[in-house]
Amino acid sequence: MRDTRESRLLLVLLIAIAFALITVDIRGGEESPVDGARQAAAAVFGPVENGVAAAVDPVGNAIGAVRDSGDRHDRIAALERENAALKARLGSDDRNNSRVRQFDAMMKNAGAGQYGIKGAEVIAIGAAQGFSWTITIDAGSNDGVKRDMTVLNGQGLVGRVTTVGPDTATVLLANDPDFTVGTRLEKTDELGFATGQGSRPLSVQFLNGKAKVKKGDRLVTFGSSKDKPFVPGVPVGEVVRVDPSGGDLTRTVYVKPYVGFTKLDIVGIVVQAPREDPRDMVLPKKPEKPKPTPTVTVTLQPNGDLVDGGGKVVGNIHEKPGAKPTGNATGEPAANTGNSTRNPAANSTGNADNAADSGNAADSGNAANDQEQG
């Protein structure tokens, strides 16, 4: 349409008519005179609108999906992070439970030995300052740790402090070849010196070449002057092998340490020594030996009697369950208190003897009567 004066007038007229219809519709409310026309238009154009919406919806959904894909990706990533955090938490719970058990065992040992300890965590393991078996702990001089302090855990002797920094310290482990500690044998008090041998058992030389040592004996630390570098009474290990003395001045045995040096986690540094030597108080209780089960040997006799090792009759295979025994405690048959039906001959003899005795008594009585009459 060309932009002419007539076209402009027509446009203004249509706009005025539209405003007039809108005003009449609003003022009429539910009884608006244009309501019928509106319903007719809805009936005509409604199906067309539905068809157009059905055709356009897939495109709109696709556009919405593209628009929301970033948000969905962020939600999926957040869920994945939550799952990873939950898995890590479950794993850390197992580790925390293990650490709690280690800490409880260490505190129990410290309580038994009356040691004042400072807890620490192993943060590194490996070579340090030329030592082949060392660990680094997260406690140092700021925590009261000093050189030549004893280090233990819930099982026993771990080592001694060799180097101290402000917040960390280096510990020489008891299985290092340069490590030596004085030991005392449980109960017998035999003294010796234990030396580390890496992954092999500790080598212990007793001062007494004739010391009586056997497999399974246990050792603790003997202690040092002024309790440095070792406090007394810390469990060291258990004897696994004893070399023959061979007449030497010393005797060598091999001891399996209580501590697993390849899986250290929680340790304690003894910052205060006990007032008295705890001796064997820190050693774990030995398991009770199982009591032997008594065995009874029963021999079957030809007559069916069951005889134990002491010759006592304990039963008879021909007896009925619940039947009373017919013999005494020694297994002898019960005494016969009446006539026996097993030996008729004996019964007959006994009757004949009784009859003879009765006859003799009668004859004696008759003879006495005859004499009185005469």
Side-chain angles (χ1 to χ4, degrees):
M1 176 182 287
R2 293 181 181 180
D3 187 10
T4 61
R5 184 178 181 182
E6 289 79 5
S7 61
R8 292 178 182 177
L9 291 174
L10 180 59
L11 179 60
V12 172
L13 180 61
L14 291 175
I15 292 174
I17 293 172
F19 275 107
L21 291 175
I22 292 172
T23 303
V24 172
D25 186 30
I26 292 174
R27 289 183 177 182
E30 296 180 358
E31 298 179 357
S32 173
V34 296
D35 186 55
R38 186 189 300 111
Q39 293 180 359
V44 173
F45 295 105
V48 178
E49 292 176 350
N50 290 334
V52 174
V56 175
D57 278 347
V59 179
N61 292 337
I63 295 174
V66 173
R67 184 176 64 251
D68 298 338
S69 61
D71 295 338
R72 292 180 180 177
H73 180 74
D74 293 341
R75 288 197 297 270
I76 292 173
L79 291 174
E80 290 177 348
R81 287 194 297 270
E82 290 179 3
N83 289 336
L86 289 174
K87 291 180 180 179
R89 183 176 179 181
L90 291 175
S92 64
D93 286 345
D94 293 338
R95 184 167 181 263
N96 289 337
N97 291 336
S98 174
R99 290 160 66 91
V100 168
R101 289 193 295 269
Q102 294 179 47
F103 184 78
D104 288 344
M106 184 177 68
M107 294 304 295
K108 184 181 294 184
N109 282 352
Q114 296 298 307
Y115 306 124
I117 64 172
K118 173 67 178 180
E121 181 181 359
V122 177
I123 57 176
I125 183 170
Q129 299 181 356
F131 299 132
S132 57
W133 290 86
T134 60
I135 58 173
T136 302
I137 58 176
D138 62 350
S141 58
N142 292 336
D143 304 294
V145 178
K146 298 179 182 179
R147 180 182 171 87
D148 287 336
M149 283 186 169
T150 307
V151 182
L152 50 80
N153 67 358
Q155 285 70 48
L157 179 66
V158 172
R160 63 180 176 88
V161 178
T162 56
T163 305
V164 181
D167 300 310
T168 61
T170 302
V171 178
L172 179 66
L173 300 181
N175 63 335
D176 188 273
D178 291 334
F179 186 95
T180 301
V181 57
T183 62
R184 183 176 58 78
L185 192 63
E186 181 185 14
K187 296 181 180 180
T188 63
D189 294 336
E190 292 287 351
L191 302 181
F193 293 95
T195 303
Q197 297 191 114
S199 57
R200 295 179 295 169
L202 304 177
S203 174
V204 180
Q205 285 190 338
F206 283 100
L207 301 181
N208 182 6
K210 298 181 180 180
K212 294 182 179 180
V213 189
K214 64 182 183 299
K215 184 177 179 181
D217 287 346
R218 304 184 296 179
L219 292 87
V220 298
T221 56
F222 175 69
S224 306
S225 175
K226 298 182 180 180
D227 300 314
K228 287 186 177 182
F230 302 108
V231 294
V234 181
V236 175
E238 184 175 309
V239 176
V240 292
R241 198 180 82 196
V242 180
D243 282 352
S245 60
D248 296 335
L249 297 178
T250 61
R251 189 169 192 180
T252 303
V253 301
Y254 298 92
V255 175
K256 180 181 178 181
Y258 288 121
V259 174
F261 297 104
T262 59
K263 50 184 179 181
L264 293 171
D265 190 6
I266 302 297
V267 298
I269 306 96
V270 181
V271 295
Q272 183 177 357
R275 294 181 179 179
E276 297 180 358
D277 187 349
R279 302 186 69 82
D280 303 331
M281 294 295 295
V282 189
L283 282 171
K285 294 182 179 180
K286 287 187 175 181
E288 296 183 0
K289 295 182 179 180
K291 296 181 180 180
T293 303
T295 57
V296 179
T297 303
V298 179
T299 305
L300 178 63
Q301 300 298 320
N303 61 352
D305 287 342
L306 299 174
V307 182
D308 61 11
K312 180 180 178 180
V313 178
V314 295
N316 189 289
I317 61 173
H318 301 302
E319 290 180 354
K320 295 181 180 180
K324 294 182 179 180
T326 57
N328 55 21
T330 59
E332 297 178 356
N336 187 9
T337 57
N339 293 334
S340 174
T341 58
R342 296 183 180 179
N343 195 348
N347 292 336
S348 300
T349 305
N351 294 335
D353 293 340
N354 292 335
D357 293 339
S358 300
N360 293 334
D363 292 341
S364 300
N366 294 333
N369 293 331
D370 292 340
Q371 291 177 358
E372 289 177 359
Q373 291 176 1

